[in-house]
Amino acid sequence: MLQIADIHVYRGKTHVLKGVRLDVRKGEIAALIGANGAGKTTLLRTISGLLRPARGKILLEGSRTAGRMDISRLAPEGITKLGVIHCPEGRGIFSQLTVRENLMIGAYLRSDKEGIAADYERVCTLFPILGSRSNQAGGSLSGGEQEMLAVGRALMGRPELLLLDEPSLGLGPIIVDTLFATLAEINAQGVTLLLVEQNAVKALLLAHRAWVLEIGRVTLSGSSRELIDDENVKKAYLGGT
Amino acid sequence: MSSGYIAQQIVNGLILGSMYALVAIGFSMIYGIIRLINFAHGEIVMIGAFTTLGLLQYLGLPFPLVALAVLIVGAVVGILIEKGAFRPMRGAPQVTGFIASLGVSIMLQNLGILFLTAQPRNFSFPDYLQRVIQVGPVSFRSIDAVIMSIALILMGALLFLVHRTKLGMAMRATAENIDVARLMGININRTIMATFAMGSALAGIAGLMWGGKFGQIDPLLGFVPGLKSFVAAVIGGVGSIPGAILGGYILGLAEVLFVGLLPPIYSAFRDAFVFSTLILILLILPNGILGKGMEERV
């Protein structure tokens, strides 16, 4: 559904992504693991249009595109409209907006009132805490609740492909487990996920396939089973010996 | 000093405060959304004043029509300034935008001098707006009542728009985090443009009031309301609309009461007093009265 073909991205003079290739298949959970500074966030920001690649193509094939289309030159709002929704690093909750407004803004591009109301109910069922805090300011939630809000907000846009940047960052292990179980449930409902994580164990256990990104290049790829068993991955990312 | 005299001063302060508040709102909204200190904002007051002069005094159009036209002219000028001067600088350091706004301000003043001459022009509302209304010990002209009502209506409409509509939600989201707002599908160019349009429309209406209040207008008149409304916005907490309203009324009241209640010998110091008020409030409340902290966006 998403094919990244030889993407090069610069931030200032730094060559951050040096010809990244990967493809995400419809319906799967794909994970991108790698150390800090490898370019994971840059890659997600490029897919969602916040950054422009210097070279390369990003091809998307979804139900809202006419066949396969290159989205690498589109503005973020255009990409969101095609069903690719990015949950940014650090969650990006609007702290002064209420929880309800944060969710509603996720449906900003939609105008189907009944559909929006139904999705709001759905998100509140998935994350009951959001429903019970709907009039509270987004900034008053805890880290875990904010992550749920960020995911719920993304769901309000009816994503076909959900990009998740470090959803586990700063959360306690129990909350991470709950969150990842919910992500699996979201995937089971038909949403394709591309997950960027430093928590490689969790990411590989959740994902079907994965890539390892090292200083701007994909150095390993395969099914997550293969990567979990890979000696180099074990050493570098899984804390094995 | 009778209580009637004090009541009169308070009414005068509220009239002046309405004008400061209307200009301060735009200042604050524009700072809130793109962190731009827009020193050209006062020039829109000037343009609003001259538009009123032309339509009301020279063409003799009915007042409600003139007020509507001034709102529209203000909005259009705000949009043009944003498109022409500030959009190309988006993403540049804050100081670049600030200098650009000074440039726009000087350019508009000089265009005004070029086309309208620097000669002050008499500005007076038609007689039906000048009727004196006496309520107990307090007297004011009918236009003053109109000014205060328009200000309150517009502020109410604005607060409704910002807090109860989809556009307002997009504006608040953009003010908080431009990148995430874009990820939600918000067209930030349109949202920023709408912010300039609304803020500038209010400044335009303040120009209509300014002319009527002081009886004379010239192309440089925007400087003082611009600066004082900036002060009002900072007092209230820059970026906050209720803060700008509160700051505007506080400043208007403080200024009038200072002149009205102290011996006349001090009245020449009214501007010194305005800025002392600012310093005093900021010493106690560094973020202004309703400010939420001026931390930089990351």
Side-chain angles (χ1 to χ4, degrees):
Chain A
M1 117 169 269
L2 182 79
Q3 201 176 0
I4 293 173
D6 202 25
I7 280 288
H8 290 260
V9 178
Y10 292 79
R11 310 210 52 182
K13 283 185 179 147
T14 318
H15 196 172
V16 182
L17 297 181
K18 303 164 185 169
V20 171
R21 293 162 191 279
L22 54 87
D23 67 299
V24 179
R25 295 177 196 154
K26 189 167 165 49
E28 75 174 347
I29 302 181
L32 188 66
I33 60 177
N36 251 338
K40 305 186 299 291
T41 295
T42 301
L43 182 64
L44 288 195
R45 288 172 68 87
T46 308
I47 297 172
S48 63
L50 289 173
L51 296 172
R52 284 260 162 106
R55 264 190 289 150
K57 284 187 175 172
I58 302 173
L59 301 167
L60 177 74
E61 187 170 5
S63 70
R64 292 169 228 175
T65 59
R68 219 146 54 127
M69 99 186 246
D70 184 7
I71 58 167
S72 63
R73 298 287 177 275
L74 291 183
E77 51 269 29
I79 293 170
T80 301
K81 206 168 202 161
L82 295 174
V84 177
I85 300 188
H86 180 175
C87 257
E89 189 184 24
R91 303 171 188 122
I93 293 307
F94 298 110
S95 60
Q96 323 252 325
L97 271 59
T98 65
V99 169
R100 191 189 154 79
E101 286 176 326
N102 267 286
L103 289 175
M104 283 306 173
I105 212 159
Y108 184 77
L109 289 173
R110 298 170 58 185
S111 46
D112 55 321
K113 275 208 168 114
E114 284 111 52
I116 293 173
D119 281 346
Y120 181 79
E121 290 309 316
R122 197 179 126 223
V123 168
C124 291
T125 314
L126 209 54
F127 303 112
I129 191 80
L130 299 181
S132 65
R133 307 236 157 137
S134 60
N135 289 321
Q136 237 171 278
S140 70
L141 299 185
S142 73
E145 292 162 356
Q146 289 198 10
E147 186 58 50
M148 292 173 200
L149 181 53
V151 173
R153 184 178 64 182
L155 292 178
M156 292 298 292
R158 286 256 166 109
E160 289 183 19
L161 171 62
L162 186 55
L163 311 173
L164 295 152
D165 196 346
E166 300 268 9
S168 77
L169 194 72
L171 304 183
I174 297 171
I175 298 176
V176 173
D177 286 345
T178 319
L179 181 71
F180 274 44
T182 312
L183 292 180
E185 199 182 322
I186 291 167
N187 173 250
Q189 291 172 8
V191 181
T192 309
L193 303 183
L194 173 57
L195 176 71
V196 156
E197 263 297 340
Q198 276 199 68
N199 189 338
V201 185
K202 286 274 173 223
L204 290 177
L205 287 175
L206 179 70
H208 305 111
R209 294 191 306 138
W211 298 266
V212 175
L213 192 67
E214 275 173 6
I215 36 178
R217 285 194 181 87
V218 172
T219 52
L220 263 176
S221 65
S223 74
S224 26
R225 198 65 258 161
E226 284 162 15
L227 288 188
I228 286 178
D229 293 335
D230 186 282
E231 286 304 317
N232 292 326
V233 173
K234 267 188 191 162
K235 250 187 233 157
Y237 302 106
L238 304 180
T241 45
Chain B
M1 212 170 289
S2 71
S3 61
Y5 177 76
I6 294 172
Q8 179 72 57
Q9 296 306 320
I10 288 174
V11 169
N12 292 346
L14 289 175
I15 296 166
L16 189 64
S18 305
M19 289 190 281
Y20 288 155
L22 285 176
V23 190
I25 288 171
F27 229 115
S28 216
M29 286 173 80
I30 290 168
Y31 179 85
I33 202 154
I34 54 171
R35 305 296 185 269
L36 169 78
I37 296 172
N38 179 14
F39 266 105
H41 197 58
E43 270 50 60
I44 303 194
V45 178
M46 178 268 286
I47 291 168
F50 274 99
T51 307
T52 311
L53 182 77
L55 298 181
L56 191 69
Q57 205 162 312
Y58 295 170
L59 297 183
L61 298 182
F63 181 79
L65 199 63
V66 174
L68 189 66
V70 169
L71 278 172
I72 293 168
V73 167
V76 169
V77 173
I79 288 171
L80 291 177
I81 293 176
E82 193 274 324
K83 266 198 139 167
F86 299 134
R87 190 173 301 179
M89 313 245 171
R90 191 95 40 85
Q94 216 173 349
V95 68
T96 312
F98 173 68
I99 291 169
S101 80
L102 277 178
V104 172
S105 166
I106 292 167
M107 188 189 81
L108 290 175
Q109 288 175 1
N110 283 284
L111 282 175
I113 293 173
L114 193 65
F115 291 109
L116 303 164
T117 77
Q119 191 65 42
R121 286 158 201 261
N122 288 327
F123 184 112
S124 63
F125 285 115
D127 291 340
Y128 68 92
L129 289 169
Q130 300 267 30
R131 240 173 311 155
V132 175
I133 302 170
Q134 189 79 36
V135 181
V138 178
S139 68
F140 50 88
R141 298 171 303 161
S142 44
I143 184 66
D144 294 331
V146 172
I147 283 176
M148 285 198 284
S149 320
I150 292 182
L152 288 176
I153 291 166
L154 289 177
M155 288 171 201
L158 183 78
L159 285 173
F160 176 83
L161 202 147
V162 169
H163 289 280
R164 291 279 178 275
T165 67
K166 201 168 169 182
L167 174 63
M169 190 165 75
M171 286 166 60
R172 285 180 292 138
T174 307
E176 205 174 312
N177 190 330
I178 282 200
D179 274 354
V180 181
R182 300 183 76 193
L183 291 179
M184 298 298 114
I186 294 168
N187 181 333
I188 54 158
N189 280 336
R190 221 184 304 153
T191 309
I192 292 170
M193 191 194 272
T195 307
F196 269 85
M198 288 176 213
S200 305
L202 298 187
I205 276 292
L208 174 154
M209 302 172 178
W210 197 269
K213 176 93 188 140
F214 296 102
Q216 268 197 341
I217 62 173
D218 67 72
L220 301 182
L221 76 84
F223 181 73
V224 172
L227 203 60
K228 287 194 181 159
S229 304
F230 173 59
V231 173
V234 173
I235 287 177
V238 98
S240 154
I241 295 174
I245 295 171
L246 192 64
Y249 281 111
I250 289 178
L251 197 66
L253 279 170
E255 192 178 321
V256 169
L257 290 177
F258 176 78
V259 176
L261 299 183
L262 288 179
I265 188 166
Y266 295 113
S267 65
F269 293 106
R270 70 195 278 169
D271 288 348
F273 180 71
V274 165
F275 289 98
S276 311
T277 311
L278 170 72
I279 292 168
L280 201 68
I281 290 181
L282 291 187
L283 275 176
I284 303 164
L285 297 162
N287 292 319
I289 297 169
L290 297 180
K292 294 210 174 78
M294 291 227 255
E295 81 279 9
E296 286 299 308
R297 204 166 32 204
V298 282

